[in-house]
Amino acid sequence: MNEKNLEELGEITSGRGFKEGVKVEKDGISVVSMADVGNEVDKIHWENVKKANIPLRTHKLLQNNDILFSAKGKQNKAIAIDGLKDKAVATHQFFVIHPKKEIDSHFVAKGLNGEYAQNYFVQNARGETKRHITKTDLGNLKVFVPPVEQQRMLVQIMDGLEDRMRHIQFCRSQLLKAFDLVFEGKLDGSEQILTQLMSVDNNEFIIQTEQLYALLKLMKLESADKAKYMHLSGKIMNYGRSKLIWLWQCLSIETWGLARDNIC
């Protein structure tokens, strides 16, 4: 088993200190701070990074494939650098890992953000009021390192999973929003969301979307018989996709009689 300390994967350096803060200027060197690496950020948007006219001293410039690790605070996040075209440095809030050629930076960053590494950082954090991870403790983290080709395959698999999870979360949030609009009495707004959601590819919640849409259309039929409406509403929850699609198509053109006579 190819287990190594993190420090064996590449050089670890500290970010640059700014005693008086970063004095923002139009031109100069990009200075990456914690503001550029939020919890939901998976890459750095270089166009938003502040610039400052500073001497480089002995600090290394950031390069693509470097890894930034936020060492201070409650969130110890890692992010792989790519898309960098100009000169840039990181602030003292970060350690910078310069991986060797046989190491994929995205593989390491994903690993550092995972449960195993995060538990290690919780157990080894220093300071009661100002929590931080030392360079030594970061370097002593033991990790398994497969060949670089397999590292990249693992990254590709996890990227696909994360994309799918974001898609699922989007569909879920839209369904919740549609329900909230029903609760608020804004049925037209809810219908608009559901109509758009039904055209989304690979909707994990397509049955629930179509059930909600069919029920919403029933709510909007002013001439619906109350008893028949309640009877049909209960049946909607047991319909398969084909019958749901047929139902809401009927309701879309307000052929209430057809739906009622064939289902109720």
PDB file of all heavy atoms in Angstrom, residues 3-7 12 69 74 76 95 111-126 131-143:
ATOM      1  N   GLU A   3       1.355   4.347   1.002  1.00  0.00           N
ATOM      2  CA  GLU A   3       0.949   5.386   1.960  1.00  0.00           C
ATOM      3  C   GLU A   3       2.115   6.322   2.234  1.00  0.00           C
ATOM      4  O   GLU A   3       3.246   5.886   2.454  1.00  0.00           O
ATOM      5  CB  GLU A   3       0.479   4.737   3.263  1.00  0.00           C
ATOM      6  CG  GLU A   3      -0.124   5.716   4.244  1.00  0.00           C
ATOM      7  CD  GLU A   3      -0.628   5.045   5.509  1.00  0.00           C
ATOM      8  OE1 GLU A   3       0.217   4.719   6.377  1.00  0.00           O
ATOM      9  OE2 GLU A   3      -1.849   4.824   5.616  1.00  0.00           O
ATOM     10  N   LYS A   4       1.827   7.634   2.197  1.00  0.00           N
ATOM     11  CA  LYS A   4       2.867   8.626   2.405  1.00  0.00           C
ATOM     12  C   LYS A   4       2.353   9.756   3.284  1.00  0.00           C
ATOM     13  O   LYS A   4       1.138   9.953   3.423  1.00  0.00           O
ATOM     14  CB  LYS A   4       3.321   9.216   1.058  1.00  0.00           C
ATOM     15  CG  LYS A   4       3.974   8.225   0.112  1.00  0.00           C
ATOM     16  CD  LYS A   4       4.447   8.928  -1.164  1.00  0.00           C
ATOM     17  CE  LYS A   4       5.134   7.946  -2.095  1.00  0.00           C
ATOM     18  NZ  LYS A   4       5.622   8.602  -3.336  1.00  0.00           N
ATOM     19  N   ASN A   5       3.279  10.497   3.870  1.00  0.00           N
ATOM     20  CA  ASN A   5       2.908  11.746   4.518  1.00  0.00           C
ATOM     21  C   ASN A   5       2.646  12.787   3.443  1.00  0.00           C
ATOM     22  O   ASN A   5       3.278  12.781   2.384  1.00  0.00           O
ATOM     23  CB  ASN A   5       4.019  12.232   5.444  1.00  0.00           C
ATOM     24  CG  ASN A   5       4.115  11.412   6.716  1.00  0.00           C
ATOM     25  OD1 ASN A   5       3.281  10.531   6.964  1.00  0.00           O
ATOM     26  ND2 ASN A   5       5.121  11.674   7.520  1.00  0.00           N
ATOM     27  N   LEU A   6       1.741  13.717   3.718  1.00  0.00           N
ATOM     28  CA  LEU A   6       1.386  14.722   2.722  1.00  0.00           C
ATOM     29  C   LEU A   6       2.611  15.516   2.276  1.00  0.00           C
ATOM     30  O   LEU A   6       2.726  15.895   1.107  1.00  0.00           O
ATOM     31  CB  LEU A   6       0.321  15.669   3.289  1.00  0.00           C
ATOM     32  CG  LEU A   6      -0.269  16.666   2.295  1.00  0.00           C
ATOM     33  CD1 LEU A   6      -1.100  15.957   1.244  1.00  0.00           C
ATOM     34  CD2 LEU A   6      -1.100  17.723   3.015  1.00  0.00           C
ATOM     35  N   GLU A   7       3.543  15.767   3.197  1.00  0.00           N
ATOM     36  CA  GLU A   7       4.723  16.559   2.868  1.00  0.00           C
ATOM     37  C   GLU A   7       5.607  15.882   1.822  1.00  0.00           C
ATOM     38  O   GLU A   7       6.423  16.543   1.167  1.00  0.00           O
ATOM     39  CB  GLU A   7       5.541  16.828   4.124  1.00  0.00           C
ATOM     40  CG  GLU A   7       6.064  15.580   4.811  1.00  0.00           C
ATOM     41  CD  GLU A   7       6.752  15.877   6.131  1.00  0.00           C
ATOM     42  OE1 GLU A   7       6.807  17.056   6.501  1.00  0.00           O
ATOM     43  OE2 GLU A   7       7.226  14.917   6.780  1.00  0.00           O
ATOM     44  N   ILE A  12       5.537  22.336   0.883  1.00  0.00           N
ATOM     45  CA  ILE A  12       4.476  23.116   1.528  1.00  0.00           C
ATOM     46  C   ILE A  12       5.070  24.437   1.999  1.00  0.00           C
ATOM     47  O   ILE A  12       6.038  24.451   2.772  1.00  0.00           O
ATOM     48  CB  ILE A  12       3.868  22.363   2.725  1.00  0.00           C
ATOM     49  CG1 ILE A  12       3.307  21.009   2.280  1.00  0.00           C
ATOM     50  CG2 ILE A  12       2.763  23.203   3.381  1.00  0.00           C
ATOM     51  CD1 ILE A  12       2.785  20.153   3.423  1.00  0.00           C
ATOM     52  N   PHE A  69      -4.496  25.654   0.842  1.00  0.00           N
ATOM     53  CA  PHE A  69      -5.123  25.042   2.016  1.00  0.00           C
ATOM     54  C   PHE A  69      -5.343  26.118   3.064  1.00  0.00           C
ATOM     55  O   PHE A  69      -4.390  26.750   3.524  1.00  0.00           O
ATOM     56  CB  PHE A  69      -4.249  23.921   2.585  1.00  0.00           C
ATOM     57  CG  PHE A  69      -4.786  23.327   3.860  1.00  0.00           C
ATOM     58  CD1 PHE A  69      -5.831  22.403   3.817  1.00  0.00           C
ATOM     59  CD2 PHE A  69      -4.264  23.690   5.095  1.00  0.00           C
ATOM     60  CE1 PHE A  69      -6.335  21.861   4.992  1.00  0.00           C
ATOM     61  CE2 PHE A  69      -4.764  23.150   6.268  1.00  0.00           C
ATOM     62  CZ  PHE A  69      -5.798  22.239   6.221  1.00  0.00           C
ATOM     63  N   LYS A  74     -12.338  27.877  11.329  1.00  0.00           N
ATOM     64  CA  LYS A  74     -13.055  26.620  11.520  1.00  0.00           C
ATOM     65  C   LYS A  74     -13.121  25.777  10.252  1.00  0.00           C
ATOM     66  O   LYS A  74     -13.296  24.560  10.326  1.00  0.00           O
ATOM     67  CB  LYS A  74     -14.476  26.919  12.008  1.00  0.00           C
ATOM     68  CG  LYS A  74     -14.526  27.578  13.375  1.00  0.00           C
ATOM     69  CD  LYS A  74     -15.965  27.835  13.799  1.00  0.00           C
ATOM     70  CE  LYS A  74     -16.021  28.493  15.174  1.00  0.00           C
ATOM     71  NZ  LYS A  74     -17.416  28.747  15.616  1.00  0.00           N
ATOM     72  N   ASN A  76     -11.253  24.277   7.180  1.00  0.00           N
ATOM     73  CA  ASN A  76      -9.942  23.978   6.598  1.00  0.00           C
ATOM     74  C   ASN A  76     -10.147  23.370   5.223  1.00  0.00           C
ATOM     75  O   ASN A  76     -10.174  22.155   5.056  1.00  0.00           O
ATOM     76  CB  ASN A  76      -9.150  23.034   7.501  1.00  0.00           C
ATOM     77  CG  ASN A  76      -8.941  23.609   8.895  1.00  0.00           C
ATOM     78  OD1 ASN A  76      -9.377  23.034   9.883  1.00  0.00           O
ATOM     79  ND2 ASN A  76      -8.297  24.764   8.966  1.00  0.00           N
ATOM     80  N   PHE A  95      -1.719  27.754   3.528  1.00  0.00           N
ATOM     81  CA  PHE A  95      -0.507  27.049   3.138  1.00  0.00           C
ATOM     82  C   PHE A  95      -0.656  26.734   1.650  1.00  0.00           C
ATOM     83  O   PHE A  95      -1.769  26.500   1.163  1.00  0.00           O
ATOM     84  CB  PHE A  95      -0.315  25.750   3.918  1.00  0.00           C
ATOM     85  CG  PHE A  95       0.090  25.950   5.346  1.00  0.00           C
ATOM     86  CD1 PHE A  95      -0.650  25.394   6.387  1.00  0.00           C
ATOM     87  CD2 PHE A  95       1.211  26.709   5.668  1.00  0.00           C
ATOM     88  CE1 PHE A  95      -0.281  25.577   7.704  1.00  0.00           C
ATOM     89  CE2 PHE A  95       1.591  26.903   6.984  1.00  0.00           C
ATOM     90  CZ  PHE A  95       0.845  26.338   8.004  1.00  0.00           C
ATOM     91  N   GLY A 111      -9.282  15.012  -1.553  1.00  0.00           N
ATOM     92  CA  GLY A 111      -8.972  14.216  -0.374  1.00  0.00           C
ATOM     93  C   GLY A 111      -8.904  15.058   0.893  1.00  0.00           C
ATOM     94  O   GLY A 111      -9.412  14.666   1.950  1.00  0.00           O
ATOM     95  N   LEU A 112      -8.310  16.230   0.798  1.00  0.00           N
ATOM     96  CA  LEU A 112      -8.198  17.114   1.966  1.00  0.00           C
ATOM     97  C   LEU A 112      -9.560  17.638   2.408  1.00  0.00           C
ATOM     98  O   LEU A 112      -9.754  17.972   3.583  1.00  0.00           O
ATOM     99  CB  LEU A 112      -7.262  18.280   1.654  1.00  0.00           C
ATOM    100  CG  LEU A 112      -5.786  17.924   1.442  1.00  0.00           C
ATOM    101  CD1 LEU A 112      -4.979  19.168   1.079  1.00  0.00           C
ATOM    102  CD2 LEU A 112      -5.199  17.267   2.691  1.00  0.00           C
ATOM    103  N   ASN A 113     -10.498  17.713   1.482  1.00  0.00           N
ATOM    104  CA  ASN A 113     -11.846  18.186   1.821  1.00  0.00           C
ATOM    105  C   ASN A 113     -12.758  17.059   2.302  1.00  0.00           C
ATOM    106  O   ASN A 113     -13.898  17.312   2.709  1.00  0.00           O
ATOM    107  CB  ASN A 113     -12.491  18.857   0.608  1.00  0.00           C
ATOM    108  CG  ASN A 113     -11.825  20.177   0.261  1.00  0.00           C
ATOM    109  OD1 ASN A 113     -11.312  20.880   1.128  1.00  0.00           O
ATOM    110  ND2 ASN A 113     -11.808  20.516  -1.020  1.00  0.00           N
ATOM    111  N   GLY A 114     -12.267  15.833   2.245  1.00  0.00           N
ATOM    112  CA  GLY A 114     -13.069  14.674   2.627  1.00  0.00           C
ATOM    113  C   GLY A 114     -13.116  14.449   4.127  1.00  0.00           C
ATOM    114  O   GLY A 114     -12.410  15.091   4.910  1.00  0.00           O
ATOM    115  N   GLU A 115     -13.944  13.509   4.521  1.00  0.00           N
ATOM    116  CA  GLU A 115     -14.199  13.256   5.951  1.00  0.00           C
ATOM    117  C   GLU A 115     -12.951  12.798   6.697  1.00  0.00           C
ATOM    118  O   GLU A 115     -12.708  13.226   7.827  1.00  0.00           O
ATOM    119  CB  GLU A 115     -15.304  12.200   6.074  1.00  0.00           C
ATOM    120  CG  GLU A 115     -15.723  11.917   7.509  1.00  0.00           C
ATOM    121  CD  GLU A 115     -16.868  10.925   7.601  1.00  0.00           C
ATOM    122  OE1 GLU A 115     -17.362  10.494   6.537  1.00  0.00           O
ATOM    123  OE2 GLU A 115     -17.263  10.568   8.729  1.00  0.00           O
ATOM    124  N   TYR A 116     -12.170  11.913   6.088  1.00  0.00           N
ATOM    125  CA  TYR A 116     -10.965  11.402   6.753  1.00  0.00           C
ATOM    126  C   TYR A 116     -10.015  12.540   7.134  1.00  0.00           C
ATOM    127  O   TYR A 116      -9.591  12.668   8.282  1.00  0.00           O
ATOM    128  CB  TYR A 116     -10.256  10.400   5.845  1.00  0.00           C
ATOM    129  CG  TYR A 116      -8.807  10.153   6.195  1.00  0.00           C
ATOM    130  CD1 TYR A 116      -8.459   9.520   7.386  1.00  0.00           C
ATOM    131  CD2 TYR A 116      -7.776  10.573   5.344  1.00  0.00           C
ATOM    132  CE1 TYR A 116      -7.124   9.301   7.715  1.00  0.00           C
ATOM    133  CE2 TYR A 116      -6.452  10.360   5.661  1.00  0.00           C
ATOM    134  CZ  TYR A 116      -6.131   9.731   6.843  1.00  0.00           C
ATOM    135  OH  TYR A 116      -4.810   9.517   7.177  1.00  0.00           O
ATOM    136  N   ALA A 117      -9.677  13.387   6.156  1.00  0.00           N
ATOM    137  CA  ALA A 117      -8.739  14.479   6.415  1.00  0.00           C
ATOM    138  C   ALA A 117      -9.348  15.524   7.346  1.00  0.00           C
ATOM    139  O   ALA A 117      -8.663  16.052   8.242  1.00  0.00           O
ATOM    140  CB  ALA A 117      -8.307  15.133   5.106  1.00  0.00           C
ATOM    141  N   GLN A 118     -10.636  15.830   7.173  1.00  0.00           N
ATOM    142  CA  GLN A 118     -11.276  16.840   8.007  1.00  0.00           C
ATOM    143  C   GLN A 118     -11.324  16.400   9.466  1.00  0.00           C
ATOM    144  O   GLN A 118     -11.143  17.219  10.378  1.00  0.00           O
ATOM    145  CB  GLN A 118     -12.681  17.144   7.487  1.00  0.00           C
ATOM    146  CG  GLN A 118     -12.696  17.901   6.155  1.00  0.00           C
ATOM    147  CD  GLN A 118     -12.096  19.286   6.259  1.00  0.00           C
ATOM    148  OE1 GLN A 118     -12.415  20.058   7.165  1.00  0.00           O
ATOM    149  NE2 GLN A 118     -11.191  19.612   5.338  1.00  0.00           N
ATOM    150  N   ASN A 119     -11.555  15.123   9.710  1.00  0.00           N
ATOM    151  CA  ASN A 119     -11.511  14.613  11.088  1.00  0.00           C
ATOM    152  C   ASN A 119     -10.104  14.747  11.675  1.00  0.00           C
ATOM    153  O   ASN A 119      -9.940  15.069  12.863  1.00  0.00           O
ATOM    154  CB  ASN A 119     -11.948  13.149  11.126  1.00  0.00           C
ATOM    155  CG  ASN A 119     -13.440  12.983  10.940  1.00  0.00           C
ATOM    156  OD1 ASN A 119     -14.205  13.926  11.156  1.00  0.00           O
ATOM    157  ND2 ASN A 119     -13.870  11.801  10.532  1.00  0.00           N
ATOM    158  N   TYR A 120      -9.106  14.502  10.853  1.00  0.00           N
ATOM    159  CA  TYR A 120      -7.710  14.662  11.287  1.00  0.00           C
ATOM    160  C   TYR A 120      -7.437  16.114  11.684  1.00  0.00           C
ATOM    161  O   TYR A 120      -6.802  16.381  12.713  1.00  0.00           O
ATOM    162  CB  TYR A 120      -6.778  14.227  10.156  1.00  0.00           C
ATOM    163  CG  TYR A 120      -5.314  14.526  10.399  1.00  0.00           C
ATOM    164  CD1 TYR A 120      -4.505  13.650  11.123  1.00  0.00           C
ATOM    165  CD2 TYR A 120      -4.735  15.694   9.897  1.00  0.00           C
ATOM    166  CE1 TYR A 120      -3.161  13.921  11.341  1.00  0.00           C
ATOM    167  CE2 TYR A 120      -3.395  15.980  10.106  1.00  0.00           C
ATOM    168  CZ  TYR A 120      -2.612  15.096  10.830  1.00  0.00           C
ATOM    169  OH  TYR A 120      -1.273  15.382  11.046  1.00  0.00           O
ATOM    170  N   PHE A 121      -7.933  17.065  10.905  1.00  0.00           N
ATOM    171  CA  PHE A 121      -7.706  18.482  11.216  1.00  0.00           C
ATOM    172  C   PHE A 121      -8.421  18.889  12.499  1.00  0.00           C
ATOM    173  O   PHE A 121      -7.888  19.673  13.293  1.00  0.00           O
ATOM    174  CB  PHE A 121      -8.168  19.353  10.047  1.00  0.00           C
ATOM    175  CG  PHE A 121      -7.420  19.098   8.768  1.00  0.00           C
ATOM    176  CD1 PHE A 121      -8.096  19.069   7.544  1.00  0.00           C
ATOM    177  CD2 PHE A 121      -6.057  18.868   8.770  1.00  0.00           C
ATOM    178  CE1 PHE A 121      -7.411  18.827   6.369  1.00  0.00           C
ATOM    179  CE2 PHE A 121      -5.358  18.617   7.587  1.00  0.00           C
ATOM    180  CZ  PHE A 121      -6.045  18.594   6.384  1.00  0.00           C
ATOM    181  N   VAL A 122      -9.617  18.361  12.722  1.00  0.00           N
ATOM    182  CA  VAL A 122     -10.343  18.657  13.968  1.00  0.00           C
ATOM    183  C   VAL A 122      -9.559  18.157  15.170  1.00  0.00           C
ATOM    184  O   VAL A 122      -9.426  18.850  16.188  1.00  0.00           O
ATOM    185  CB  VAL A 122     -11.749  18.016  13.933  1.00  0.00           C
ATOM    186  CG1 VAL A 122     -12.414  18.092  15.304  1.00  0.00           C
ATOM    187  CG2 VAL A 122     -12.622  18.709  12.898  1.00  0.00           C
ATOM    188  N   GLN A 123      -9.010  16.965  15.055  1.00  0.00           N
ATOM    189  CA  GLN A 123      -8.271  16.363  16.165  1.00  0.00           C
ATOM    190  C   GLN A 123      -6.926  17.049  16.417  1.00  0.00           C
ATOM    191  O   GLN A 123      -6.426  17.040  17.544  1.00  0.00           O
ATOM    192  CB  GLN A 123      -8.044  14.884  15.883  1.00  0.00           C
ATOM    193  CG  GLN A 123      -9.332  14.062  15.819  1.00  0.00           C
ATOM    194  CD  GLN A 123      -9.108  12.655  15.296  1.00  0.00           C
ATOM    195  OE1 GLN A 123      -7.959  12.248  15.049  1.00  0.00           O
ATOM    196  NE2 GLN A 123     -10.196  11.916  15.104  1.00  0.00           N
ATOM    197  N   ASN A 124      -6.349  17.668  15.365  1.00  0.00           N
ATOM    198  CA  ASN A 124      -5.010  18.234  15.494  1.00  0.00           C
ATOM    199  C   ASN A 124      -4.980  19.765  15.466  1.00  0.00           C
ATOM    200  O   ASN A 124      -3.893  20.356  15.450  1.00  0.00           O
ATOM    201  CB  ASN A 124      -4.113  17.700  14.380  1.00  0.00           C
ATOM    202  CG  ASN A 124      -3.780  16.226  14.566  1.00  0.00           C
ATOM    203  OD1 ASN A 124      -2.851  15.861  15.274  1.00  0.00           O
ATOM    204  ND2 ASN A 124      -4.571  15.372  13.907  1.00  0.00           N
ATOM    205  N   ALA A 125      -6.132  20.395  15.480  1.00  0.00           N
ATOM    206  CA  ALA A 125      -6.178  21.864  15.454  1.00  0.00           C
ATOM    207  C   ALA A 125      -5.564  22.439  16.723  1.00  0.00           C
ATOM    208  O   ALA A 125      -5.708  21.878  17.815  1.00  0.00           O
ATOM    209  CB  ALA A 125      -7.617  22.339  15.291  1.00  0.00           C
ATOM    210  N   ARG A 126      -4.897  23.553  16.589  1.00  0.00           N
ATOM    211  CA  ARG A 126      -4.277  24.262  17.722  1.00  0.00           C
ATOM    212  C   ARG A 126      -5.027  25.573  17.980  1.00  0.00           C
ATOM    213  O   ARG A 126      -5.635  26.139  17.080  1.00  0.00           O
ATOM    214  CB  ARG A 126      -2.812  24.573  17.408  1.00  0.00           C
ATOM    215  CG  ARG A 126      -1.984  23.406  16.883  1.00  0.00           C
ATOM    216  CD  ARG A 126      -1.769  22.337  17.922  1.00  0.00           C
ATOM    217  NE  ARG A 126      -0.983  21.238  17.378  1.00  0.00           N
ATOM    218  CZ  ARG A 126       0.350  21.137  17.496  1.00  0.00           C
ATOM    219  NH1 ARG A 126       1.030  22.105  18.099  1.00  0.00           N
ATOM    220  NH2 ARG A 126       0.984  20.086  16.991  1.00  0.00           N
ATOM    221  N   ARG A 131      -8.347  29.209  16.034  1.00  0.00           N
ATOM    222  CA  ARG A 131      -8.078  27.838  15.606  1.00  0.00           C
ATOM    223  C   ARG A 131      -7.233  27.826  14.339  1.00  0.00           C
ATOM    224  O   ARG A 131      -7.480  28.586  13.409  1.00  0.00           O
ATOM    225  CB  ARG A 131      -9.412  27.129  15.352  1.00  0.00           C
ATOM    226  CG  ARG A 131      -9.305  25.663  14.954  1.00  0.00           C
ATOM    227  CD  ARG A 131     -10.699  25.104  14.703  1.00  0.00           C
ATOM    228  NE  ARG A 131     -10.666  23.703  14.333  1.00  0.00           N
ATOM    229  CZ  ARG A 131     -10.427  23.239  13.108  1.00  0.00           C
ATOM    230  NH1 ARG A 131     -10.196  24.100  12.128  1.00  0.00           N
ATOM    231  NH2 ARG A 131     -10.426  21.942  12.864  1.00  0.00           N
ATOM    232  N   HIS A 132      -6.237  26.944  14.304  1.00  0.00           N
ATOM    233  CA  HIS A 132      -5.391  26.854  13.116  1.00  0.00           C
ATOM    234  C   HIS A 132      -4.727  25.487  13.038  1.00  0.00           C
ATOM    235  O   HIS A 132      -4.639  24.752  14.032  1.00  0.00           O
ATOM    236  CB  HIS A 132      -4.311  27.945  13.126  1.00  0.00           C
ATOM    237  CG  HIS A 132      -3.336  27.800  14.255  1.00  0.00           C
ATOM    238  ND1 HIS A 132      -3.609  28.212  15.543  1.00  0.00           N
ATOM    239  CD2 HIS A 132      -2.066  27.268  14.288  1.00  0.00           C
ATOM    240  CE1 HIS A 132      -2.576  27.958  16.318  1.00  0.00           C
ATOM    241  NE2 HIS A 132      -1.631  27.375  15.586  1.00  0.00           N
ATOM    242  N   ILE A 133      -4.274  25.152  11.843  1.00  0.00           N
ATOM    243  CA  ILE A 133      -3.531  23.918  11.589  1.00  0.00           C
ATOM    244  C   ILE A 133      -2.087  24.308  11.307  1.00  0.00           C
ATOM    245  O   ILE A 133      -1.826  25.198  10.502  1.00  0.00           O
ATOM    246  CB  ILE A 133      -4.101  23.157  10.372  1.00  0.00           C
ATOM    247  CG1 ILE A 133      -5.601  22.886  10.551  1.00  0.00           C
ATOM    248  CG2 ILE A 133      -3.346  21.848  10.143  1.00  0.00           C
ATOM    249  CD1 ILE A 133      -5.947  22.018  11.725  1.00  0.00           C
ATOM    250  N   THR A 134      -1.151  23.641  11.973  1.00  0.00           N
ATOM    251  CA  THR A 134       0.256  23.958  11.748  1.00  0.00           C
ATOM    252  C   THR A 134       0.754  23.283  10.477  1.00  0.00           C
ATOM    253  O   THR A 134       0.180  22.295   9.995  1.00  0.00           O
ATOM    254  CB  THR A 134       1.117  23.504  12.931  1.00  0.00           C
ATOM    255  OG1 THR A 134       1.116  22.063  12.987  1.00  0.00           O
ATOM    256  CG2 THR A 134       0.598  24.072  14.244  1.00  0.00           C
ATOM    257  N   LYS A 135       1.839  23.827   9.967  1.00  0.00           N
ATOM    258  CA  LYS A 135       2.462  23.252   8.780  1.00  0.00           C
ATOM    259  C   LYS A 135       2.928  21.823   9.052  1.00  0.00           C
ATOM    260  O   LYS A 135       2.810  20.937   8.187  1.00  0.00           O
ATOM    261  CB  LYS A 135       3.641  24.133   8.356  1.00  0.00           C
ATOM    262  CG  LYS A 135       4.377  23.654   7.117  1.00  0.00           C
ATOM    263  CD  LYS A 135       5.505  24.610   6.780  1.00  0.00           C
ATOM    264  CE  LYS A 135       6.336  24.095   5.623  1.00  0.00           C
ATOM    265  NZ  LYS A 135       7.445  25.031   5.283  1.00  0.00           N
ATOM    266  N   THR A 136       3.428  21.581  10.245  1.00  0.00           N
ATOM    267  CA  THR A 136       3.903  20.248  10.616  1.00  0.00           C
ATOM    268  C   THR A 136       2.758  19.233  10.621  1.00  0.00           C
ATOM    269  O   THR A 136       2.877  18.136  10.076  1.00  0.00           O
ATOM    270  CB  THR A 136       4.570  20.274  11.997  1.00  0.00           C
ATOM    271  OG1 THR A 136       5.704  21.143  11.961  1.00  0.00           O
ATOM    272  CG2 THR A 136       5.023  18.878  12.415  1.00  0.00           C
ATOM    273  N   ASP A 137       1.634  19.612  11.237  1.00  0.00           N
ATOM    274  CA  ASP A 137       0.499  18.694  11.301  1.00  0.00           C
ATOM    275  C   ASP A 137      -0.083  18.434   9.916  1.00  0.00           C
ATOM    276  O   ASP A 137      -0.492  17.312   9.600  1.00  0.00           O
ATOM    277  CB  ASP A 137      -0.586  19.262  12.219  1.00  0.00           C
ATOM    278  CG  ASP A 137      -0.201  19.167  13.689  1.00  0.00           C
ATOM    279  OD1 ASP A 137       0.567  18.260  14.034  1.00  0.00           O
ATOM    280  OD2 ASP A 137      -0.669  20.009  14.481  1.00  0.00           O
ATOM    281  N   LEU A 138      -0.124  19.472   9.084  1.00  0.00           N
ATOM    282  CA  LEU A 138      -0.593  19.277   7.716  1.00  0.00           C
ATOM    283  C   LEU A 138       0.325  18.301   6.983  1.00  0.00           C
ATOM    284  O   LEU A 138      -0.134  17.377   6.306  1.00  0.00           O
ATOM    285  CB  LEU A 138      -0.636  20.612   6.977  1.00  0.00           C
ATOM    286  CG  LEU A 138      -1.034  20.553   5.495  1.00  0.00           C
ATOM    287  CD1 LEU A 138      -2.439  19.990   5.332  1.00  0.00           C
ATOM    288  CD2 LEU A 138      -0.938  21.941   4.865  1.00  0.00           C
ATOM    289  N   GLY A 139       1.604  18.486   7.117  1.00  0.00           N
ATOM    290  CA  GLY A 139       2.570  17.637   6.431  1.00  0.00           C
ATOM    291  C   GLY A 139       2.586  16.203   6.917  1.00  0.00           C
ATOM    292  O   GLY A 139       2.957  15.288   6.178  1.00  0.00           O
ATOM    293  N   ASN A 140       2.151  15.972   8.166  1.00  0.00           N
ATOM    294  CA  ASN A 140       2.165  14.632   8.743  1.00  0.00           C
ATOM    295  C   ASN A 140       0.916  13.812   8.420  1.00  0.00           C
ATOM    296  O   ASN A 140       0.824  12.648   8.794  1.00  0.00           O
ATOM    297  CB  ASN A 140       2.315  14.712  10.263  1.00  0.00           C
ATOM    298  CG  ASN A 140       3.734  15.085  10.674  1.00  0.00           C
ATOM    299  OD1 ASN A 140       4.687  14.916   9.906  1.00  0.00           O
ATOM    300  ND2 ASN A 140       3.885  15.608  11.881  1.00  0.00           N
ATOM    301  N   LEU A 141      -0.051  14.423   7.743  1.00  0.00           N
ATOM    302  CA  LEU A 141      -1.255  13.681   7.368  1.00  0.00           C
ATOM    303  C   LEU A 141      -0.879  12.533   6.438  1.00  0.00           C
ATOM    304  O   LEU A 141      -0.237  12.728   5.414  1.00  0.00           O
ATOM    305  CB  LEU A 141      -2.248  14.613   6.662  1.00  0.00           C
ATOM    306  CG  LEU A 141      -3.488  13.952   6.054  1.00  0.00           C
ATOM    307  CD1 LEU A 141      -4.389  13.375   7.155  1.00  0.00           C
ATOM    308  CD2 LEU A 141      -4.260  14.938   5.190  1.00  0.00           C
ATOM    309  N   LYS A 142      -1.288  11.327   6.796  1.00  0.00           N
ATOM    310  CA  LYS A 142      -0.958  10.153   5.995  1.00  0.00           C
ATOM    311  C   LYS A 142      -2.041   9.939   4.932  1.00  0.00           C
ATOM    312  O   LYS A 142      -3.237   9.940   5.236  1.00  0.00           O
ATOM    313  CB  LYS A 142      -0.820   8.917   6.877  1.00  0.00           C
ATOM    314  CG  LYS A 142       0.377   8.994   7.823  1.00  0.00           C
ATOM    315  CD  LYS A 142       0.622   7.673   8.507  1.00  0.00           C
ATOM    316  CE  LYS A 142       1.851   7.739   9.421  1.00  0.00           C
ATOM    317  NZ  LYS A 142       3.082   8.064   8.671  1.00  0.00           N
ATOM    318  N   VAL A 143      -1.604   9.749   3.699  1.00  0.00           N
ATOM    319  CA  VAL A 143      -2.541   9.578   2.589  1.00  0.00           C
ATOM    320  C   VAL A 143      -2.081   8.431   1.695  1.00  0.00           C
ATOM    321  O   VAL A 143      -0.884   8.126   1.611  1.00  0.00           O
ATOM    322  CB  VAL A 143      -2.660  10.874   1.754  1.00  0.00           C
ATOM    323  CG1 VAL A 143      -3.228  12.003   2.603  1.00  0.00           C
ATOM    324  CG2 VAL A 143      -1.321  11.280   1.171  1.00  0.00           C
TER     325      VAL A 143
END
